[in-house]
Amino acid sequence: MRWNEIGKYTSKKIDKSLELAELNERYIPKASGLKYYPLAVAKAEGSKVWDVDGNEYIDFLTSAAVYNIGHRHPKIVSAILGQVDKVLNYTMAYLYEETPVELAKCLTKITPGDFEKKVTFGFSGSDSVDSSIKAVRAYTKRRYIISFKNSYHGMTYGALSATGIIDPAVKGAIHPIKDFHLVEFPDPYRNPWNMDGYENPEELSTLALEQVEAKIKELNENVAGIIVEPIQGDAGVIIPPFSFIKGLRKLTEEYDIVFVDEEVQTGMGRTGKWWAIEHFNVVPDVIASAKALGGGMPISAVIGRSEIMESVPVPLFVFTHIGHAVNASAAIATIEVIREEELAKRAERLEKYVIKRFREMMGEYEIIGDIRGKGLLIGVDIVNDQKSRTPDKITALKICWRAWEMGLILITFGKYGNILRIAPALNIPKEDLDRGLEIIEESIKDVLTGRVPDEIVNFLRGW
């Protein structure tokens, strides 16, 4: 990356950020990131971020939907400091600790299902998916895992093998685990059946479920688990028909397959409920959680039926720092904040407001093809024009660039890299939310009037 050339394209003061970006290029492999612009974070508080050059930003990314309760929430900081004063951590592999046990108890109460549950811990969404895979295979004694095209489950070997959004040629470089099979996820806006899934949700759902069942039969009913994001996040906020998730649950029950609900991005109030699966009135067997769970600290959890979780042989759930006490204390505080501040309900209210604002923009700008979301997980689909629905990744990247210049952290994602990713903190002040939306509209105008040069795309790797 030739960062020294960026001065030609922006007047923003970013000298220190560029220095850090160049050091990053020198010491950290490119496979460790999908960089968008030279923003080197120095400080964060609430819904704001400051870079090393002193520039202030409103945060619509929240570190990839991690900071549902905002950056450095006082209750999280207090919980961390309180735990640090006692013990950082002592491995649960050999002894007992109070904090992770308390967290496990909390998680069994806020997850769907009135059956007995047990919880194991890790550090990222990826390892929560891996632990889910261990559990379903141990419980069913079967081999195969079904997941969905354009899904994102993580980068550890098991999670990557289940992930559908990574180019097979890219995955092939590291020889992913076999016995993982991908099927179509019913995208109402763009799907291989070329139907309008908003107009015909039941037909779309039926076609997708038929493919799932056909795959189960093809695999001689030797399927251990089906892993699904109830709302596909990195695919571009793809919300399936209600009947699809209900029908998928029915299939897992008919064929004695474990239903794994992957809530790494959609959980912890992000979609207007504790868990996105609750929008579909479905109770899963296993839930995988991470990202926002720790309020910014690295922790994941798998919450499942006791008989499923207990089927895993000792010591196959062991990590040295499993249930890390500091991280677990932060997670308990995060649950308390979401409950006390009623952040899931606030996300539900703000969803209507934000989508209304984007629909107004959609009426003004032909490049907005679709707006979809639940709570404050919202995707804005950037296209060549509304009739063709052709994804326009270049324009989407240019909008993000201009938004960064104007003080908004905004990136793209999606299976075509053309979706604006709207994921602010659930407690973002209304004035920050409004200003962020204004910046997006101003950025769209600047891109459409040619004020953002095409050359800047060379500096944005992105999805």
Side-chain angles (χ1 to χ4, degrees):
M1 190 72 73
R2 300 186 301 277
W3 288 116
N4 60 319
E5 297 181 10
I6 205 169
K8 302 175 186 176
Y9 305 106
T10 185
S11 59
K12 197 173 184 71
K13 180 187 174 185
I14 52 171
D15 292 345
K16 292 181 180 178
S17 289
L18 287 175
E19 289 177 10
L20 192 54
E22 288 171 356
L23 286 171
N24 188 100
E25 297 288 325
R26 181 176 178 182
Y27 293 110
I28 297 177
K30 62 181 181 296
S32 297
L34 297 159
K35 300 296 195 293
Y36 280 80
Y37 26 68
L39 194 170
V41 176
K43 178 186 173 184
E45 192 83 28
S47 291
K48 297 284 187 67
V49 170
W50 290 262
D51 67 19
V52 292
D53 294 284
N55 298 303
E56 180 181 292
Y57 302 88
I58 297 167
D59 190 2
F60 268 26
L61 174 61
T62 54
S63 197
V66 165
Y67 292 100
N68 287 11
I69 62 173
H71 295 277
R72 299 183 67 249
H73 192 288
K75 191 157 188 170
I76 303 302
V77 174
S78 177
I80 292 169
L81 293 176
Q83 183 62 49
V84 166
D85 277 344
K86 294 185 290 185
V87 60
L88 295 178
N89 190 58
Y90 202 99
T91 181
M92 289 179 68
Y94 304 117
L95 303 179
Y96 298 90
E97 274 202 304
E98 180 181 5
T99 311
V101 174
E102 183 183 349
L103 173 59
K105 184 178 178 180
C106 288
L107 287 168
T108 64
K109 292 182 182 302
I110 66 170
T111 46
D114 58 4
F115 42 80
E116 289 189 7
K117 304 168 194 166
K118 290 195 175 182
V119 183
T120 192
F121 297 108
F123 306 94
S124 72
S126 298
D127 66 48
S128 70
V129 172
D130 280 9
S131 291
S132 300
I133 293 166
K134 292 176 187 177
V136 302
R137 281 179 159 174
Y139 180 67
T140 63
K141 309 296 190 294
R142 298 176 188 166
R143 293 173 51 187
Y144 298 115
I145 303 293
I146 291 176
S147 58
F148 292 87
K149 294 179 181 179
N150 301 305
S151 60
Y152 183 83
H153 297 298
M155 288 294 130
T156 53
Y157 256 95
L160 177 59
S161 300
T163 289
I165 200 170
I166 303 298
D167 188 316
V170 174
K171 287 170 66 171
I174 54 90
H175 305 288
I177 301 170
K178 296 179 180 180
D179 299 333
F180 287 74
H181 296 265
L182 300 172
V183 293
E184 291 288 345
F185 192 79
D187 179 348
Y189 190 62
R190 292 187 190 90
N191 55 71
W193 302 286
N194 295 315
M195 73 163 53
D196 187 329
Y198 295 128
E199 292 288 332
N200 303 291
E202 297 305 317
E203 185 179 354
L204 178 63
S205 178
T206 297
L207 288 169
L209 289 169
E210 286 174 350
Q211 190 178 105
V212 175
E213 187 165 24
K215 179 61 69 173
I216 293 169
K217 291 178 178 179
E218 176 190 322
L219 298 172
N220 297 316
E221 300 182 22
N222 191 20
V223 177
I226 295 179
I227 301 175
V228 64
E229 301 162 273
I231 298 171
Q232 284 194 333
D234 284 20
V237 192
I238 308 302
I239 304 173
F242 179 88
S243 57
F244 173 73
I245 299 295
K246 295 285 284 187
L248 189 64
R249 185 59 176 130
K250 184 178 179 183
L251 281 176
T252 61
E253 291 170 344
E254 288 177 0
Y255 289 94
D256 294 321
I257 295 168
V258 179
F259 187 109
V260 179
D261 173 24
E262 204 265 60
E263 296 268 3
V264 173
Q265 184 168 179
T266 55
M268 304 302 291
R270 169 59 61 183
T271 68
K273 295 184 182 294
W274 273 110
W275 312 98
I277 198 73
E278 294 177 274
H279 291 286
F280 301 93
N281 295 332
V282 161
V283 176
D285 298 307
V286 173
I287 291 180
S289 176
K291 281 191 184 288
L293 175 61
M297 299 299 284
I299 188 167
S300 66
V302 178
I303 309 100
R305 292 179 179 271
S306 292
E307 62 270 25
I308 295 174
M309 302 301 284
E310 283 290 7
S311 69
V312 177
V314 176
L316 300 188
F317 275 152
V318 168
F319 299 112
T320 300
H321 289 295
I322 182 176
H324 193 284
V326 174
N327 301 345
S329 69
I332 293 167
T334 298
I335 292 170
E336 291 172 353
V337 170
I338 293 170
R339 181 184 290 120
E340 291 167 3
E341 297 185 12
E342 298 186 327
L343 293 185
K345 290 182 180 178
R346 189 169 192 267
E348 185 178 35
R349 291 196 303 272
L350 290 178
E351 170 202 327
K352 297 178 176 62
Y353 176 74
V354 174
I355 287 183
K356 179 175 180 291
R357 289 286 305 274
F358 277 118
R359 293 212 179 278
E360 290 168 354
M361 293 184 212
M362 188 176 180
E364 293 286 328
Y365 310 107
E366 270 287 312
I367 64 166
I368 298 179
D370 193 26
I371 301 116
R372 46 192 180 259
K374 287 286 186 184
L376 285 179
L377 179 65
I378 295 169
V380 180
D381 203 309
I382 302 300
V383 296
N384 287 344
D385 60 79
Q386 292 170 0
K387 184 177 181 180
S388 73
R389 300 187 178 187
T390 303
D392 191 343
K393 178 179 179 178
I394 301 301
T395 295
L397 288 171
K398 289 166 73 175
I399 291 167
C400 292
W401 177 274
R402 178 59 99 205
W404 161 70
E405 289 189 299
M406 298 177 68
L408 177 69
I409 299 176
L410 176 72
I411 71 165
T412 59
F413 64 175
K415 47 193 169 183
Y416 304 103
N418 69 309
I419 312 299
L420 303 183
R421 183 176 190 169
I422 314 298
L426 309 186
N427 54 4
I428 183 172
K430 185 68 161 34
E431 58 269 25
D432 288 347
L433 181 62
D434 282 333
R435 179 55 189 151
L437 295 171
E438 288 168 4
I439 288 173
I440 292 173
E441 183 163 15
E442 290 169 21
S443 299
I444 290 171
K445 289 178 181 177
D446 283 354
V447 170
L448 293 179
T449 53
R451 295 177 187 170
V452 181
D454 293 338
E455 291 80 2
I456 61 92
V457 176
N458 295 326
F459 297 97
L460 287 75
R461 291 175 187 161
W463 276 99

